[in-house]
Amino acid sequence: MLSKILIANRGEIALRVMRTCRELGIPTVAVYSDVDRDAAHVRYADEAYALGGQTAAESYLNTDAILGVIDKCGADGVHPGYGFYAENADFARVVAERGVAWIGPPPEAIEVMGDKISARRAADRGGVASVPGTLDPIESVDDVIAFGEKAGWPVAIKAAYGGGGKGMKVVHDAEGAQAALDSAAREAQAYFGRAEAYLEKYLTHPRHIEIQVFADTLGNAVWLGERDCSVQRRHQKLIEESPAAGLDKDTRRAMGEAAVQVARACGYVNAGTVEMLYQDGEFYFLEMNTRLQVEHCVTEMVTKLDLVAEQIRVASGEPLSITEDSIIRRGHAIECRINAENAAKGFGPSPGTITKLVLPAGPEVRWDGGYDEGDTVSQYYDNLVGKLIVWGPDRDTARHRMLRALQELVIEGIHTTVPAHQLVLTHPDFATANHSTRWLEEQVDTSALVSQAAADKAPPETEELTPQVLPVEVDGRRFQVKVWLPDAGIAHSGGGAKQAPRPRAAASTHGSGSGMISAPMQGTIVKVLIAVGDAVEPGQALLVLEAMKMENHLNAEQGGTVAEIRVSAGDTVGTGDVLVVIE
Ligand code: ADP
């Protein structure tokens, strides 16, 4: 068994991995950015080391800094979580070259599945049909039109290296093909550094059903069960459940066996997920995620297995603790992703400080969170606050249990997806499992949802001296010291990186038509689309603001002339900052 594990991640997944390590008696090492100096995963770990920096690139994706910590702390295993380095074959390789175990698949398997075209070829080798489409990169718009005319519109143009719901464009007819192709290539180049794209038939009402697979180094490979992840927005998952409602036993087994064949076709080891689209009784390979997934918990709830423990076992060279026949799936589990997002505003990001957090409890309720009360959900990273997972003997009991748990969950200070979950879970279409991947966006009106967020609630101030445990760094390693200080000065210090409160412009400056365009949220300006002196029309896009990996266009509320631009690309802005003045 491994003797010390470094978790190259943050937030809920870092904590999730550390919990299992602690149960197994394996010491854990956290790494952290400046912003995360006192984050929940850092507080939980047995040791923690600074990476410096704020953005992902400066910190959790800073290879030299992380390799330096691996060398310094003496870990013999690295768990990448999901995101960041989890599907980075080069990083997996340099870790392994140091003689440190990579708690994930071999780099070669990551490479095959990292490119959607080679992944489709691997599925083909495994005898599993992909969504009808092409196996070669698109050369010109003629390819798109020819495929659309043959397979039928609509067609999806997909970036070979895309992911996270980005790099896919749907084309409805030949006329729209060129614009969609250009836009897909631009997005793919900007996000993934490679523009290659290929074609798939765009299924109009599929369910997203994926299979959890696991393989060890001794040649054993099993499938553990399926997850239905059809409740999505922006092609990204919001609710996951297991089993998939209404899926018959034979289809489930056929999908499971197909998934194992795909895993074997790429020499897979450790935990992986084979994603499929299921429509009108047919299933098609979509892609394989070569990591532990966010939604692994629903599989854990129905199988009563600890997938992280299994991952560590496999990375230590031991056999899987299970065989296909020994896996028992019982009851029904549902997971709701609690994101810092405002469902009423098109699920736009809502970074900020959690001023109040009350977690649900009771039978069969699990919370995998990354933050405590007083912590800040930073604009620099993913906006997942935590995952609420429940189990019930059947789907309807689980659904009602989730509604009860959501009612108990209190998160203030930021907007969250909680109201959207409540709407979905009470909707007759969801209750009868009569939904597909486009259902939430097309059939459900979330515009009137009101979040519990009581924004701007300041933590209470007091002059009393109380003992405080403070993080300090000595030569980059983190220690805790106890000091007596006034509450107000320190209680929510969270390290120096938490941003000092900024004077807020009245909320009305944004969207009031006053001509002062202010930032609706913290973020980074990625593009300025106008210049001083330009004439602008109402609704015209002025700036692109990125927060939590999402781009938001800030538009003119009124027509006029640009009198002032107070920011440039690369600037970090806070909520309420005035960015542009139009006269
Ligand atoms: P990503 O790598 O960005 O997660 P995927 O290929 O896994 O992209 O697809 C994510 C989601 O996009 C799917 O769950 C589904 O909702 C939608 N999608 C992808 N391909 C298709 C397709 N060919 N037809 C219909 N929906 C699709």
Side-chain angles (χ1 to χ4, degrees), residues 116 131 156 158 162-166 168 198 200-204 206 208 229 232 235-237 275 277 286-287 289 437:
K116 291 186 190 226
V131 179
K158 291 176 91 169
K166 289 232 152 61
M168 179 166 97
Y198 69 101
E200 273 178 20
K201 187 168 170 52
Y202 186 73
L203 306 182
T204 50
H208 174 118
C229 316
Q232 303 185 349
H235 293 128
Q236 290 171 351
K237 300 159 191 169
E275 296 192 329
L277 290 182
L286 183 62
E287 66 166 356
N289 290 139
T437 56

Side-chain angles (χ1 to χ4, degrees), residues 170 180 282 312 522:
V170 183
E282 302 283 335
I312 295 171
Q522 276 177 33

Side-chain angles (χ1 to χ4, degrees), residues 209-270:
I209 300 182
E210 58 186 33
I211 306 284
Q212 177 72 54
V213 294
F214 233 115
D216 63 23
T217 50
L218 306 164
N220 304 304
V222 297
W223 61 277
L224 297 176
E226 84 282 17
R227 297 184 284 259
D228 185 323
C229 316
S230 301
V231 179
Q232 303 185 349
R233 44 91 182 77
R234 292 187 291 268
H235 293 128
Q236 290 171 351
K237 300 159 191 169
L238 202 58
I239 297 179
E240 299 98 347
E241 56 183 316
S242 186
L247 194 71
D248 65 78
K249 242 169 73 192
D250 290 346
T251 310
R252 175 176 299 112
R253 187 175 330 104
M255 291 177 85
E257 287 169 0
V260 170
Q261 285 161 27
V262 171
R264 288 203 187 276
C266 67
Y268 206 80
V269 174
N270 217 296

Side-chain angles (χ1 to χ4, degrees), residues 546-565:
E546 187 180 276
M548 301 173 139
K549 300 200 279 184
M550 273 182 259
E551 288 195 354
N552 304 272
H553 286 252
L554 304 190
N555 303 332
E557 290 293 329
Q558 61 172 41
T561 307
V562 178
E564 251 187 274
I565 302 174

Side-chain angles (χ1 to χ4, degrees), residues 516-540:
M516 308 268 268
I517 303 298
S518 57
M521 65 195 78
Q522 276 177 33
T524 305
I525 301 294
V526 290
K527 210 163 197 178
V528 178
L529 304 167
I530 32 116
V532 171
D534 282 2
V536 295
E537 292 176 358
Q540 183 177 332

Side-chain angles (χ1 to χ4, degrees), residues 268-438:
Y268 206 80
V269 174
N270 217 296
T273 297
V274 176
E275 296 192 329
M276 307 198 197
L277 290 182
Y278 176 79
Q279 182 171 298
D280 303 329
E282 302 283 335
F283 62 84
Y284 308 96
F285 172 77
L286 183 62
E287 66 166 356
M288 181 168 189
N289 290 139
T290 51
R291 54 173 156 84
L292 187 71
Q293 280 191 296
V294 175
E295 61 272 22
H296 72 279
C297 315
V298 291
T299 302
E300 293 188 322
M301 297 290 265
V302 295
T303 60
K304 301 285 176 224
L305 292 167
D306 179 336
L307 297 195
V308 174
E310 217 60 50
Q311 283 195 293
I312 295 171
R313 184 192 307 275
V314 167
S316 309
E318 294 175 24
L320 284 169
S321 75
I322 34 163
T323 59
E324 196 64 70
D325 295 337
S326 73
I327 298 163
I328 298 167
R329 290 178 285 274
R330 262 198 74 223
H332 198 99
I334 303 178
E335 171 179 284
C336 286
R337 294 192 190 199
I338 311 299
N339 293 87
E341 279 176 32
N342 188 349
K345 293 261 156 58
F347 293 94
S350 175
T353 298
I354 299 173
T355 52
K356 184 170 182 185
L357 179 65
V358 180
L359 296 177
E364 307 294 353
V365 173
R366 167 173 167 181
W367 172 254
D368 275 27
Y371 299 88
D372 290 326
E373 190 169 295
D375 286 345
T376 296
V377 184
S378 156
Q379 57 128 330
Y380 291 111
Y381 317 114
D382 184 275
N383 65 11
L384 185 64
V385 177
K387 303 173 311 200
L388 184 57
I389 312 111
V390 302
W391 181 91
D394 53 63
R395 187 172 189 264
D396 222 36
T397 310
R399 191 171 64 83
H400 284 109
R401 184 162 281 156
M402 180 61 88
L403 282 164
R404 185 271 290 170
L406 284 167
Q407 209 172 43
E408 288 177 17
L409 175 64
V410 180
I411 302 178
E412 290 181 1
I414 53 172
H415 291 281
T416 71
T417 44
V418 168
H421 288 303
Q422 288 168 324
L423 188 64
V424 168
L425 286 153
T426 48
H427 199 290
D429 287 349
F430 182 82
T432 53
N434 190 15
H435 64 290
S436 62
T437 56
R438 309 274 299 145

